[in-house]
Amino acid sequence: MSSHREAPEIAKDPVADSSDLYAFVSPDKPDSVTLIANYVSLQLPSGGPNFFEFGDDVRYELHIDNDGDGRPDVTYRFEFTTEITNPNSFLYNTGPIDSLDSRNWNRRQFYSLTRVADGREHRLAHKLPCPPCNVGPLSTPKYAELVRQATYSLSTGERVFAGQRADGFFVDLGAVFDLGTLRPFQQLHVAGKKIFKAEGEPVNATDRMNVHSIAVQVPLSRVRRRANRYGAADRASVIGVWTSASRRQVRVLGDRVAADTSTGPFTQVSRLGNPLFNEVIVPMAKKDLWNSLPPSEDKRFARFVEQPELAALLPALYPDVFPNLDKLTKAKKPRADLVAILLTGVPAGLIDGFTNATGDVQADMLRLNTAIPPSRRPDRFGVLGGDLAGFPNGRRVGDDVVSIALRAIAGVTVPLVDKTFRPDAAAAAVTPGLSAADVTAPFLGNFPYLGTPYDGFNNPPAAS
């Protein structure tokens, strides 16, 4: 995942570990913005009798900052409860689940949705049912219908969904973490030299795996601030988005499971803004600290953005391929381009017709300029590909964030702030070699956009 198992402590707590975050103007409803956060990742479809679910003791939240201070102005809070229909059965279901109130479904999960804004909490919905996990063709024969039943339109204008989806992230994880090895289908040569060491086709390590998603589609009028503290019209349309998960400070174990209790205030244990930020920017010794802090404190980590470790590793791993990047890194010149992309937003004037700047506060958030309409023909490389509606302007489900991030770190965005810098020829071609086409479950054209989760009967394929 773009931020799965990215810190030592949260790696032990997958139920509260955020793996991917998306924020984009809804392509099928451009007067709204869609926010999706994935948790409980790396789910093998086959399982049981205990299938995956949200944590009843975890508070999941989607945060929106619309005044640039790195603190939430609007928060959508999801809290879950689980009910067992037949306490004398070990089975998840005793027959086909054809509706959300099916008597055959033994372990059902519900959630409440609360909107927090201007210091006030407003309960938007209570005890909304989640769909079941996609067990198999006999247990969940019409899964798309169950998802339709579990997608709710609220009287306040939001649409909401919480439940299992197919993981849409794509990355050749085994290769990338084997000392940055890249193995695209076509080996890349520059000046007669082969750049990539490894042969073979890339493998999408997260394909045929599921996640649990919280998703909300919000009218633009509910996320924008009419007049923010900057007073600039272009900034009034820009929002910052992140997700967090929190647990009670104390858990008391009794002599029976039913006697376990959690008490005390909620403490944040996980957060996620830009993909890969904590994973490849923040050093190991500070990752747990980063997960506990709000984005407004990210100035503490700015030096790791200004001089990212990966920028020094690329020339070392691929000698003579990135000479210009090597000189830039050794000069210890702060990467103002990466600071703009990850911590402050891109100011007006650097890219024609585009800005998603939120001001001077350095904060890791997905910044989305909601005034930019969805693209009719999305480019998977987002802004780097000339598509201003894509990452790092928010993040869509099909954006190739790994390639975009690698190319930015390799130097393709340095000329935005330093016209004298010439990126290495290889910088614009760096890629793990995967795209959304390598995700077996196709994305949907409408809410909740992530594909139908893989069922346990057919995945992995019997032939394998």
Side-chain angles (χ1 to χ4, degrees):
M1 315 311 110
S2 71
S3 284
H4 176 70
R5 296 179 57 82
E6 85 289 348
E9 286 304 312
I10 199 61
K12 306 168 188 175
D13 188 7
V15 173
D17 188 2
S18 51
S19 61
D20 281 287
L21 174 69
Y22 305 94
F24 51 92
V25 177
S26 311
D28 56 329
K29 195 176 181 182
D31 60 347
S32 70
V33 61
T34 295
L35 312 177
I36 305 171
N38 291 343
Y39 288 85
V40 204
S41 55
L42 291 179
Q43 299 179 20
L44 294 174
S46 56
N50 295 304
F51 288 86
F52 296 94
E53 61 191 17
F54 294 102
D56 288 357
D57 53 353
V58 178
R59 173 179 283 181
Y60 302 91
E61 293 179 314
L62 287 162
H63 305 284
I64 301 165
D65 169 24
N66 58 25
D67 64 5
D69 63 357
R71 295 186 177 277
D73 295 295
V74 179
T75 292
Y76 286 92
R77 178 181 299 159
F78 294 72
E79 295 174 293
F80 294 85
T81 57
T82 303
E83 295 181 4
I84 298 176
T85 304
N86 181 3
N88 296 315
S89 175
F90 75 91
L91 292 169
Y92 185 73
N93 59 293
T94 55
I97 303 173
D98 54 11
S99 67
L100 299 184
D101 58 359
S102 171
R103 293 183 178 181
N104 293 327
W105 184 12
N106 193 32
R107 188 174 178 89
R108 304 172 64 195
Q109 194 161 53
F110 304 86
Y111 66 98
S112 65
L113 177 64
T114 302
R115 174 184 163 96
V116 184
D118 299 321
R120 299 179 180 179
E121 297 184 5
H122 180 204
R123 180 68 62 87
L124 301 183
H126 177 64
K127 206 172 183 180
L128 295 178
C130 301
C133 289
N134 194 4
V135 178
L138 295 182
S139 295
T140 49
K142 297 181 179 179
Y143 196 80
E145 172 59 20
L146 295 174
V147 172
R148 187 195 66 78
Q149 294 176 24
T151 303
Y152 305 97
S153 297
L154 308 181
S155 60
T156 47
E158 292 91 349
R159 297 188 76 198
V160 63
F161 171 85
Q164 191 181 51
R165 304 309 296 157
D167 195 336
F169 186 56
F170 44 93
V171 64
D172 191 356
L173 201 61
V176 169
F177 279 99
D178 185 16
L179 291 180
T181 303
L182 303 171
R183 50 183 181 191
F185 291 105
Q186 300 297 323
Q187 298 294 321
L188 178 65
H189 293 73
V190 175
K193 296 181 180 180
K194 182 181 289 188
I195 290 179
F196 303 121
K197 304 174 185 177
E199 301 289 344
E201 298 180 353
V203 177
N204 182 8
T206 60
D207 194 33
R208 294 185 181 273
M209 290 190 179
N210 296 326
V211 294
H212 266 58
S213 302
I214 58 173
V216 60
Q217 192 173 74
V218 191
L220 291 177
S221 60
R222 300 270 281 173
V223 299
R224 289 175 175 169
R225 181 173 291 247
R226 292 184 179 179
N228 65 12
R229 63 191 177 103
Y230 301 104
D234 55 350
R235 287 182 179 172
S237 63
V238 178
I239 60 173
V241 179
W242 70 99
T243 184
S244 69
S246 303
R247 288 187 176 277
R248 296 281 192 184
Q249 284 187 343
V250 179
R251 183 185 179 194
V252 180
L253 301 179
D255 58 357
R256 294 177 295 109
V257 173
D260 290 359
T261 58
S262 296
T263 186
F266 279 95
T267 298
Q268 181 177 296
V269 296
S270 171
R271 72 167 160 122
L272 175 59
N274 281 291
L276 305 169
F277 189 96
N278 197 17
E279 198 153 37
V280 301
I281 296 291
V282 179
M284 184 73 71
K286 297 182 181 294
K287 289 180 180 296
D288 292 326
L289 171 65
W290 184 91
N291 262 334
S292 70
L293 296 173
S296 58
E297 294 295 318
D298 284 340
K299 59 182 178 294
R300 302 188 191 189
F301 308 95
R303 69 183 187 275
F304 305 114
V305 177
E306 294 174 341
Q307 296 180 0
E309 183 180 13
L310 184 56
L313 286 175
L314 285 173
L317 293 171
Y318 304 102
D320 303 322
V321 173
F322 298 99
N324 295 338
L325 177 64
D326 192 30
K327 292 178 182 178
L328 178 69
T329 302
K330 289 178 177 177
K332 302 295 184 182
K333 187 175 182 180
R335 292 288 300 272
D337 59 316
L338 298 181
V339 171
I341 292 170
L342 297 175
L343 292 178
T344 63
V346 179
L350 297 187
I351 300 174
D352 289 343
F354 176 72
T355 178
N356 65 350
T358 53
D360 297 329
V361 175
Q362 295 179 335
D364 170 37
M365 305 183 290
L366 273 182
R367 288 171 171 82
L368 175 64
N369 187 335
T370 61
I372 296 177
S375 298
R376 294 184 177 180
R377 296 182 178 178
D379 189 294
R380 67 188 179 102
F381 296 114
V383 175
L384 292 189
D387 181 357
L388 302 184
F391 182 75
N393 187 33
R395 180 189 175 190
R396 301 167 301 195
V397 294
D399 286 341
D400 187 354
V401 295
V402 177
S403 293
I404 295 170
L406 283 172
R407 294 179 183 187
I409 289 176
V412 297
T413 55
V414 174
L416 293 176
V417 297
D418 182 358
K419 301 298 183 183
T420 66
F421 181 81
R422 183 178 178 181
D424 298 296
V430 175
T431 177
L434 297 171
S435 71
D438 295 291
V439 178
T440 299
F443 297 121
L444 307 180
N446 47 33
F447 188 80
Y449 300 102
L450 293 176
T452 299
Y454 304 98
D455 71 77
F457 182 84
N458 295 297
N459 296 279
S464 67

